[in-house]
Amino acid sequence: MRSTTDILVIGSGVAGLTFAIKMAVKRPDLKITIVTKNTIDESNTRYAQGGIAAVWDPELDSYEKHIADTIDAGDKLNDDKIVRMVVKEGPDLVRELIEWGARFDKKSDGKYELGREGGHSTYRVLHHKDITGWEIERALIEKVNSLKNIEVLENHFALEIITQHHLGRVVMKVTPGIEAYGAYVLNKHNFTTLTILSKITVIATGGAGQLYSVTTNPKVSTGDGIAMFYRAKGRIANMEFVQFHPTALYDPQGETPNFLISEAVRGHGGVLKTKDGVEFMQKYDKRGSLAPRDIVARAIDKEMKIRGEDNVYLDVSSIEKNDFIKHFPNIYDKCLSIGIDPMKKFIPVAPACHYFCGGIVVDKNGKTSIKNVYSAGESTYSGLHGANRLASNSLLEGLVYAHNMHIEIDNVIDKIRINDRVPNWDATGTSEPNELILITQSLKEIKEVMGSYVGIVRNNIRLQRAMNRIKLLNSETEDLYKSTVLSQQLCELRNLITIGYIVTKSAMMRHESRGLNFNTDYPDELSYKEITFI
Ligand code: FAD
Ligand code: SIN
């Protein structure tokens, strides 16, 4: 099966949907196809809690403050020009989101209520209770549905970006002029592989939190876009900076994904404590429970190791009950559902994998190293986050890059032609897998390897151990991939192993402790800026 579209967008989170809307409005003559591997709303975006950071109240905030907080949280590895651009462009794009129907909480005087999170020096986070992402997705999906030139293919799993490699040419990282012609996509309704030819392909596939068993990310976050792009020989950077959120709800039953207890709870007065009720964050940072995430997650990890415990606690008793329920109704209900009344008991919390600061290298317009491929959102390395993302800057980044990308693509698309010499997917020589355990066991293993050896605290021996095991998993999985009929499960495993390899290799290449990459063999920071390309 083959089809043709002007722009193929892979992914339906904040980045993919915002881009599709803007492009469709600007160019009603173009056909835009969104493929998404689950239902349209399923994404990291949908689960965002705290909100979206934007300079909003001039009495409290300024661009310079937001820029300084972003760079401070990022341990100065950020690209200053990109930080400035995102912070300055952001507020107008949030206003546009509001015009499209997204509702953010207001105070009784009609002004927007601004929250605060770790690393922010002031109140600047717009939010919809504690389900901001759900509200943003709702508004975006409604807007997408109103636009006739957007086609949405749900339950369509993108397999590979099509390049000259699929025309029979040898393509290597150093090959000049690698270009893309669309993607091979598995239609999960009938298990056929579609060849979708496009002038432009946009990767908006989000992050890879599923690389770790303890994660806040939903099942769809398997790093497919980054892995596909890497296989297509595109440029990736800074994947060692994996962000662990300090406060996922600790569930002894091992619920997955782990439910998030938003940092906004700490911004509202919640305090991290040990089991015996002692505040510990002041020992580590003068900002206490509201220090940037890398610092808080590391401190919690240390306290848990010292005490031999699986979690620490969040004390929210200083917040009045009605106030807590008004701001955090979803968190309140979740705690009650597992027998914890947060007004009476501490909430047990522990760090969980949450966000990837690295990814596909993009310029300020989302342009990548592969011709006709653009990317936005968590799948990218844009330079905004540096070595550690400032809370609530991710939704903002998705909006800004979607915006810049649509202007750039409008300027270039009319010069690009569809390449219809691309062959269809070749599945000869493959058969149904005999034992699914070959996939499920390897999935468990890669998560275990990453959790044990490439977590919050790293060292060279652990990284080498991880690499040895990843190489074995990789070779076994490649054998299986070559001989087996395609399935989403196998492809996701393959992608996660690729991401595990890139994260570990990047961590081995970074000989310093900076931001989220904490390596006890290199306790010091280097004084120069450096990007780990792979
Ligand atoms: P996503 O929203 O993850 O969307 C990716 C899309 O790609 C999905 O639709 C997915 O199904 C699709 N996809 C993936 N692979 C394929 C494939 N092979 N084929 C087809 N489709 C595919 N950030 C903030 O700024 N503020 C917050 O308050 C906040 N809270 C968060 C809370 C939680 C629990 C989590 C998990 C994250 C939170 N984040 C927050 C981070 C933020 O939500 C994400 O970084 C951001 O939403 C990413 O948007 P995206 O569009 O890049 O990707
Ligand atoms: C949270 O609400 O704590 C998550 C915010 C983020 O990841 O930006």
Coordinates of all heavy atoms in Angstrom, one line a residue, residues 215-279:
T215 N 9.3 4.9 35.7 CA 9.2 6.1 34.8 C 7.8 6.7 35.0 O 6.8 6.0 35.2 CB 9.4 5.7 33.4 OG1 9.2 6.9 32.6 CG2 8.5 4.7 32.8
T216 N 7.7 8.0 34.7 CA 6.4 8.7 34.7 C 5.8 8.6 33.3 O 4.7 9.1 33.1 CB 6.6 10.2 35.0 OG1 7.4 10.8 34.0 CG2 7.2 10.4 36.4
N217 N 6.6 8.2 32.3 CA 6.2 8.2 30.9 C 5.2 7.1 30.5 O 5.5 5.9 30.9 CB 7.4 8.2 30.0 CG 8.2 9.4 30.0 OD1 9.0 9.6 29.1 ND2 8.0 10.3 31.0
P218 N 4.2 7.4 29.7 CA 3.3 6.3 29.3 C 4.0 5.4 28.3 O 5.1 5.6 27.8 CB 2.2 7.1 28.6 CG 2.9 8.4 28.1 CD 3.9 8.7 29.1
K219 N 3.3 4.3 28.0 CA 3.9 3.2 27.2 C 4.3 3.6 25.8 O 5.2 3.0 25.2 CB 2.8 2.1 27.0 CG 2.4 1.3 28.3 CD 3.2 0.0 28.3 CE 2.8 -0.8 29.5 NZ 3.8 -0.7 30.6
V220 N 3.8 4.7 25.3 CA 4.2 5.1 23.9 C 5.6 5.7 23.9 O 6.1 5.9 22.8 CB 3.1 6.1 23.3 CG1 1.8 5.5 23.1 CG2 3.0 7.4 24.2
S221 N 6.1 6.1 25.0 CA 7.4 6.8 25.0 C 8.6 5.9 24.9 O 9.3 5.6 25.8 CB 7.6 7.6 26.3 OG 6.5 8.5 26.4
T222 N 8.8 5.4 23.7 CA 9.9 4.4 23.5 C 11.0 4.9 22.5 O 11.7 4.1 21.9 CB 9.3 3.1 22.9 OG1 8.4 3.4 21.8 CG2 8.5 2.3 24.0
G223 N 11.0 6.2 22.4 CA 12.2 6.8 21.6 C 12.2 6.4 20.2 O 13.3 6.5 19.5
D224 N 11.1 6.1 19.6 CA 11.1 5.6 18.2 C 11.7 6.6 17.2 O 12.5 6.2 16.3 CB 9.6 5.3 17.7 CG 8.9 4.3 18.6 OD1 9.6 3.5 19.3 OD2 7.7 4.2 18.6
G225 N 11.3 7.8 17.3 CA 11.7 8.8 16.4 C 13.2 9.0 16.4 O 13.9 9.1 15.4
I226 N 13.8 9.1 17.6 CA 15.2 9.3 17.8 C 16.0 8.1 17.2 O 16.9 8.2 16.5 CB 15.6 9.6 19.3 CG1 14.8 10.8 19.8 CG2 17.1 9.8 19.4 CD1 15.0 11.0 21.4
A227 N 15.5 6.9 17.5 CA 16.1 5.7 17.1 C 16.1 5.6 15.5 O 17.1 5.3 14.9 CB 15.5 4.5 17.7
M228 N 14.9 5.9 15.0 CA 14.8 5.9 13.5 C 15.7 6.8 12.8 O 16.4 6.5 11.8 CB 13.4 6.4 13.1 CG 12.3 5.3 13.0 SD 10.8 6.2 12.4 CE 9.9 6.4 13.9
F229 N 15.8 8.0 13.4 CA 16.6 9.1 12.9 C 18.1 8.7 13.0 O 18.9 8.9 12.1 CB 16.4 10.4 13.6 CG 17.0 11.6 13.0 CD1 16.5 12.2 11.9 CD2 18.2 12.1 13.6 CE1 17.1 13.3 11.3 CE2 18.8 13.2 13.0 CZ 18.3 13.8 11.9
Y230 N 18.5 8.0 14.1 CA 19.8 7.6 14.3 C 20.2 6.5 13.2 O 21.3 6.5 12.6 CB 20.0 7.0 15.7 CG 21.3 6.5 16.0 CD1 22.4 7.3 16.3 CD2 21.5 5.1 16.1 CE1 23.7 6.8 16.6 CE2 22.8 4.6 16.4 CZ 23.8 5.4 16.6 OH 25.1 4.9 17.0
R231 N 19.2 5.6 13.0 CA 19.5 4.5 12.0 C 19.6 5.1 10.6 O 20.3 4.6 9.7 CB 18.3 3.5 12.0 CG 18.4 2.5 13.1 CD 17.5 1.3 12.9 NE 16.1 1.7 12.9 CZ 15.4 1.7 14.0 NH1 15.9 1.4 15.2 NH2 14.1 2.0 13.9
A232 N 18.9 6.3 10.4 CA 19.0 6.9 9.1 C 20.2 7.8 8.9 O 20.4 8.5 8.0 CB 17.7 7.8 8.8
K233 N 21.1 7.7 10.0 CA 22.4 8.3 10.0 C 22.3 9.8 10.3 O 23.1 10.6 9.8 CB 23.2 8.0 8.8 CG 23.3 6.6 8.3 CD 24.2 5.8 9.3 CE 24.3 4.4 8.8 NZ 24.0 3.4 9.8
G234 N 21.3 10.2 11.0 CA 21.1 11.6 11.4 C 21.9 12.0 12.6 O 22.4 11.1 13.3
R235 N 22.0 13.3 12.9 CA 22.8 13.7 14.0 C 22.0 13.8 15.3 O 21.0 14.5 15.4 CB 23.4 15.1 13.7 CG 24.6 15.4 14.4 CD 25.4 16.6 13.8 NE 26.8 16.5 14.1 CZ 27.6 17.5 14.2 NH1 27.1 18.7 13.9 NH2 28.8 17.4 14.5
I236 N 22.6 13.2 16.4 CA 21.9 13.1 17.7 C 22.9 13.8 18.7 O 24.1 13.6 18.6 CB 21.7 11.7 18.2 CG1 21.1 10.8 17.1 CG2 21.0 11.6 19.5 CD1 19.6 10.9 16.9
A237 N 22.4 14.4 19.8 CA 23.3 15.0 20.8 C 22.7 14.9 22.2 O 21.5 14.9 22.4 CB 23.6 16.4 20.4
N238 N 23.6 14.9 23.1 CA 23.4 15.1 24.6 C 22.4 14.1 25.2 O 21.7 14.5 26.1 CB 22.9 16.5 24.8 CG 24.1 17.5 24.9 OD1 25.2 17.2 24.3 ND2 24.0 18.6 25.5
M239 N 22.4 12.9 24.7 CA 21.4 11.9 25.2 C 21.8 11.4 26.6 O 21.0 10.7 27.2 CB 21.4 10.7 24.2 CG 20.6 11.1 23.0 SD 18.9 11.3 23.2 CE 18.3 9.6 23.4
E240 N 23.0 11.7 27.1 CA 23.3 11.3 28.5 C 22.5 12.0 29.5 O 22.4 11.6 30.7 CB 24.8 11.5 28.8 CG 25.3 12.9 28.8 CD 25.7 13.4 27.4 OE1 25.1 13.0 26.4 OE2 26.7 14.2 27.2
F241 N 21.8 13.1 29.1 CA 21.1 14.0 30.1 C 19.7 13.5 30.2 O 18.7 14.0 29.7 CB 21.2 15.4 29.7 CG 22.6 16.0 29.8 CD1 23.3 16.3 28.6 CD2 23.3 16.0 31.0 CE1 24.6 16.8 28.6 CE2 24.6 16.5 31.0 CZ 25.2 16.9 29.8
V242 N 19.5 12.4 31.0 CA 18.2 11.8 31.2 C 17.7 12.4 32.6 O 18.3 12.2 33.6 CB 18.3 10.3 31.3 CG1 16.9 9.7 31.6 CG2 18.9 9.7 30.0
Q243 N 16.5 13.0 32.5 CA 16.0 13.7 33.7 C 15.1 12.7 34.5 O 14.2 12.1 34.0 CB 15.2 14.9 33.3 CG 14.7 15.7 34.5 CD 14.1 17.0 34.1 OE1 13.1 17.1 33.6 NE2 14.8 18.1 34.4
F244 N 15.5 12.6 35.8 CA 14.7 11.9 36.7 C 13.8 12.9 37.5 O 14.4 13.8 38.1 CB 15.5 11.0 37.7 CG 16.1 9.8 36.9 CD1 17.2 9.9 36.1 CD2 15.5 8.5 37.1 CE1 17.7 8.8 35.4 CE2 16.0 7.4 36.4 CZ 17.1 7.6 35.5
H245 N 12.5 12.7 37.5 CA 11.7 13.6 38.3 C 11.8 13.1 39.8 O 11.7 12.0 40.1 CB 10.2 13.5 37.8 CG 9.4 14.6 38.4 ND1 9.1 14.8 39.7 CD2 8.8 15.7 37.7 CE1 8.3 15.8 39.8 NE2 8.1 16.4 38.7
P246 N 12.0 14.1 40.7 CA 12.3 13.7 42.1 C 11.1 13.0 42.7 O 11.3 12.1 43.6 CB 12.6 15.0 42.8 CG 12.9 16.0 41.7 CD 12.2 15.6 40.5
T247 N 9.9 13.4 42.3 CA 8.7 12.9 43.2 C 7.6 12.2 42.4 O 6.6 12.7 42.1 CB 8.1 14.1 43.9 OG1 7.7 15.1 43.0 CG2 9.0 14.8 44.9
A248 N 8.0 11.0 42.0 CA 6.9 10.1 41.5 C 6.3 9.4 42.7 O 7.0 9.2 43.7 CB 7.4 9.1 40.5
L249 N 5.0 9.1 42.7 CA 4.4 8.4 43.8 C 5.0 7.1 43.9 O 5.1 6.3 43.0 CB 2.9 8.3 43.5 CG 2.0 7.6 44.6 CD1 2.0 8.4 45.9 CD2 0.6 7.5 44.0
Y250 N 5.5 6.8 45.1 CA 6.1 5.4 45.3 C 5.0 4.4 45.6 O 4.2 4.5 46.5 CB 7.1 5.5 46.6 CG 7.6 4.1 46.9 CD1 8.5 3.4 46.0 CD2 7.1 3.4 48.0 CE1 8.9 2.1 46.2 CE2 7.6 2.1 48.2 CZ 8.4 1.5 47.4 OH 8.9 0.2 47.6
D251 N 5.1 3.4 44.7 CA 4.0 2.4 44.8 C 4.7 1.0 45.0 O 5.4 0.5 44.1 CB 3.2 2.4 43.5 CG 2.2 1.2 43.5 OD1 2.0 0.6 44.6 OD2 1.5 1.0 42.5
P252 N 4.6 0.4 46.2 CA 5.3 -0.9 46.4 C 4.9 -2.0 45.5 O 5.6 -2.9 45.2 CB 5.0 -1.2 47.9 CG 4.0 -0.2 48.4 CD 3.9 0.9 47.4
Q253 N 3.7 -1.8 44.9 CA 3.2 -2.8 43.9 C 3.9 -2.7 42.6 O 3.7 -3.5 41.7 CB 1.7 -2.7 43.7 CG 0.8 -2.7 44.9 CD 1.0 -3.9 45.8 OE1 1.2 -5.0 45.4 NE2 0.9 -3.6 47.1
G254 N 4.6 -1.6 42.4 CA 5.3 -1.3 41.1 C 4.4 -0.9 40.0 O 4.6 -1.4 38.8
E255 N 3.4 -0.1 40.3 CA 2.5 0.4 39.2 C 3.4 1.1 38.1 O 4.3 1.8 38.4 CB 1.5 1.4 39.7 CG 0.6 1.9 38.7 CD -0.3 3.1 39.2 OE1 0.2 3.9 40.0 OE2 -1.4 3.2 38.8
T256 N 3.1 0.8 36.8 CA 3.8 1.4 35.8 C 2.9 1.9 34.7 O 2.0 1.2 34.3 CB 4.9 0.5 35.2 OG1 5.6 1.1 34.1 CG2 4.4 -0.9 34.8
P257 N 3.0 3.2 34.2 CA 4.0 4.2 34.6 C 3.7 4.6 36.0 O 2.6 4.5 36.5 CB 3.8 5.3 33.6 CG 2.5 5.1 33.0 CD 2.2 3.7 33.0
N258 N 4.7 5.2 36.6 CA 4.5 5.7 38.0 C 3.8 7.1 38.0 O 4.1 7.9 37.1 CB 5.9 6.0 38.7 CG 6.6 4.7 38.9 OD1 7.0 4.0 37.9 ND2 6.8 4.3 40.1
F259 N 2.8 7.2 38.8 CA 2.0 8.4 38.9 C 2.9 9.6 39.4 O 3.7 9.4 40.3 CB 0.8 8.2 39.8 CG -0.1 9.4 39.9 CD1 -1.1 9.5 38.9 CD2 0.0 10.3 40.9 CE1 -1.9 10.6 38.9 CE2 -0.8 11.4 40.9 CZ -1.8 11.6 39.9
L260 N 2.7 10.7 38.8 CA 3.6 11.9 39.2 C 2.9 12.7 40.3 O 1.7 12.9 40.2 CB 3.8 12.8 37.9 CG 4.7 14.0 38.2 CD1 6.2 13.5 38.3 CD2 4.6 14.9 37.0
I261 N 3.7 13.1 41.2 CA 3.3 14.1 42.2 C 4.0 15.4 41.8 O 5.2 15.6 42.0 CB 3.7 13.8 43.7 CG1 3.2 12.4 44.0 CG2 3.2 14.8 44.6 CD1 1.7 12.2 44.1
S262 N 3.2 16.2 41.1 CA 3.8 17.4 40.4 C 4.7 18.3 41.4 O 4.4 18.4 42.6 CB 2.6 18.3 40.0 OG 3.1 19.5 39.4
E263 N 5.7 18.8 40.7 CA 6.6 19.7 41.4 C 5.8 21.0 41.9 O 6.2 21.6 42.8 CB 7.7 20.2 40.5 CG 9.0 20.4 41.1 CD 10.1 20.3 40.1 OE1 10.4 21.3 39.4 OE2 10.7 19.3 40.0
A264 N 4.7 21.2 41.3 CA 3.9 22.4 41.7 C 3.4 22.2 43.1 O 3.1 23.2 43.8 CB 2.7 22.5 40.7
V265 N 3.3 20.9 43.6 CA 2.9 20.7 45.0 C 3.9 21.3 45.9 O 3.6 21.9 46.9 CB 2.7 19.2 45.2 CG1 2.4 18.9 46.7 CG2 1.6 18.6 44.4
R266 N 5.2 21.1 45.5 CA 6.3 21.7 46.3 C 6.3 23.2 46.2 O 6.5 24.0 47.1 CB 7.6 21.1 45.9 CG 7.9 19.8 46.6 CD 9.2 19.2 46.1 NE 9.0 18.4 44.9 CZ 9.9 18.4 43.9 NH1 11.0 19.1 43.9 NH2 9.6 17.7 42.8
G267 N 5.9 23.7 44.9 CA 5.8 25.1 44.7 C 4.7 25.7 45.5 O 4.7 26.9 45.8
H268 N 3.8 24.9 46.0 CA 2.6 25.4 46.8 C 2.8 25.2 48.3 O 1.9 25.4 49.1 CB 1.4 24.6 46.3 CG 0.1 25.3 46.3 ND1 -0.2 26.3 45.4 CD2 -0.9 25.3 47.2 CE1 -1.4 26.8 45.6 NE2 -1.9 26.2 46.7
G269 N 4.0 24.6 48.7 CA 4.2 24.5 50.1 C 4.6 23.1 50.6 O 5.0 22.9 51.7
G270 N 4.6 22.1 49.7 CA 5.0 20.7 50.1 C 6.5 20.7 50.4 O 7.2 21.4 49.7
V271 N 6.8 19.9 51.4 CA 8.2 19.8 51.8 C 8.7 18.4 51.8 O 8.0 17.5 52.3 CB 8.4 20.5 53.2 CG1 9.9 20.3 53.7 CG2 8.0 22.0 53.2
L272 N 9.9 18.1 51.3 CA 10.4 16.8 51.3 C 11.0 16.4 52.6 O 11.7 17.2 53.2 CB 11.5 16.7 50.2 CG 11.0 16.6 48.8 CD1 12.1 16.9 47.8 CD2 10.4 15.2 48.5
K273 N 10.7 15.2 53.1 CA 11.1 14.8 54.5 C 11.5 13.4 54.5 O 11.1 12.6 53.6 CB 10.0 15.0 55.5 CG 9.7 16.5 55.7 CD 8.8 16.8 56.9 CE 8.7 18.3 57.1 NZ 7.6 18.6 58.0
T274 N 12.3 13.0 55.4 CA 12.6 11.5 55.6 C 11.4 10.9 56.4 O 10.5 11.7 56.9 CB 13.9 11.3 56.4 OG1 13.8 12.1 57.6 CG2 15.1 11.7 55.5
K275 N 11.5 9.6 56.6 CA 10.4 8.9 57.2 C 10.1 9.5 58.6 O 8.9 9.5 59.1 CB 10.8 7.4 57.4 CG 9.7 6.5 57.7 CD 10.4 5.1 57.7 CE 9.4 4.0 57.8 NZ 10.0 2.7 57.7
D276 N 11.1 9.9 59.3 CA 11.0 10.4 60.7 C 10.6 11.9 60.7 O 10.7 12.5 61.7 CB 12.2 10.1 61.5 CG 13.5 10.3 60.8 OD1 13.4 10.7 59.6 OD2 14.6 10.0 61.3
G277 N 10.3 12.4 59.6 CA 9.7 13.8 59.5 C 10.8 14.9 59.5 O 10.5 16.0 59.8
V278 N 12.0 14.5 59.1 CA 13.1 15.6 59.1 C 13.3 16.1 57.7 O 13.4 15.3 56.7 CB 14.4 15.0 59.6 CG1 15.5 16.0 59.5 CG2 14.2 14.4 61.0
E279 N 13.2 17.4 57.5 CA 13.5 18.1 56.2 C 14.9 17.9 55.9 O 15.8 18.0 56.8 CB 13.2 19.6 56.4 CG 13.1 20.4 55.1 CD 14.4 20.7 54.5 OE1 15.5 20.7 55.2 OE2 14.5 21.0 53.3

